[in-house]
Amino acid sequence: SEGVPHPMTPDQTRAQVINAAREIVATLGLKDVSGHFSRESCNDQAVAPFRGVVGLSYGHAPTLEASQAQIQQMIGVLKEHGWSAPGDFHSHSPAVSKQNVTAVFDPYSPVQDAGGSITLYGECRDMTTRQNAVPEPIPADQLA
């Protein structure tokens, strides 16, 4: 049928966001990177479809202003490498998309001691998973 995307396996949805994360790490030359993978429901009922999600931490700038500037620079570089505005993905933070994966950039806030991270959201096409998954560390060699 037209317009209905084919389901993806849990492995495919995991690979989709991890491959995108690896591309971002390589393209931006991020340092001190660590990542977590989880699955999340694309609706409020915690039922299918699910998508893969990767959270990346990296060596961010030390202040909010410097972190915001760093993110703008990173988005500029990614746009030169085929990433574009995220379309209908709604976010209050800077975001770019490529091949149906959206990367959302959260600037570092020293006040909250939070942020300095990139969250990648895959497609809502995993019909197999039955519940949200607790984030699990991604082995460093999968991100390098």
Side-chain angles (χ1 to χ4, degrees), residues 1-2 8 16 29 63 95 114 126 132 134:
S1 59
E2 291 283 317
M8 292 167 65
Q16 182 185 45
T63 67
D126 172 358
N132 291 328
V134 177

Side-chain angles (χ1 to χ4, degrees), residues 91-128:
S91 168
H92 296 294
S93 301
V96 289
S97 295
K98 184 177 183 179
Q99 293 171 338
N100 301 315
V101 174
T102 298
V104 178
F105 293 77
D106 188 23
Y108 174 67
S109 167
V111 176
Q112 297 168 322
D113 192 28
S117 60
I118 306 169
T119 307
L120 293 94
Y121 297 93
E123 291 178 88
C124 294
R125 288 169 56 183
D126 172 358
M127 305 303 291
T128 309

Side-chain angles (χ1 to χ4, degrees), residues 2-88:
E2 291 283 317
V4 177
H6 294 290
M8 292 167 65
T9 67
D11 283 348
Q12 286 172 323
T13 55
R14 184 181 197 276
Q16 182 185 45
V17 284
I18 289 188
N19 290 343
R22 186 164 54 232
E23 179 183 338
I24 285 180
V25 169
T27 301
L28 298 177
L30 297 179
K31 304 289 184 233
D32 304 323
V33 175
S34 63
H36 285 79
F37 171 80
S38 61
R39 300 179 196 284
E40 71 173 27
S41 171
C42 296
N43 55 60
D44 296 333
Q45 288 79 44
V47 295
F50 285 75
R51 62 184 167 199
V53 180
V54 167
L56 286 179
S57 301
Y58 59 92
H60 54 73
T63 67
L64 178 60
E65 293 76 16
S67 179
Q68 288 171 325
Q70 182 183 33
I71 286 170
Q72 289 308 316
Q73 182 185 13
M74 291 193 293
I75 286 177
V77 171
L78 290 173
K79 284 185 172 178
E80 292 170 10
H81 288 83
W83 294 76
S84 58
D88 60 0

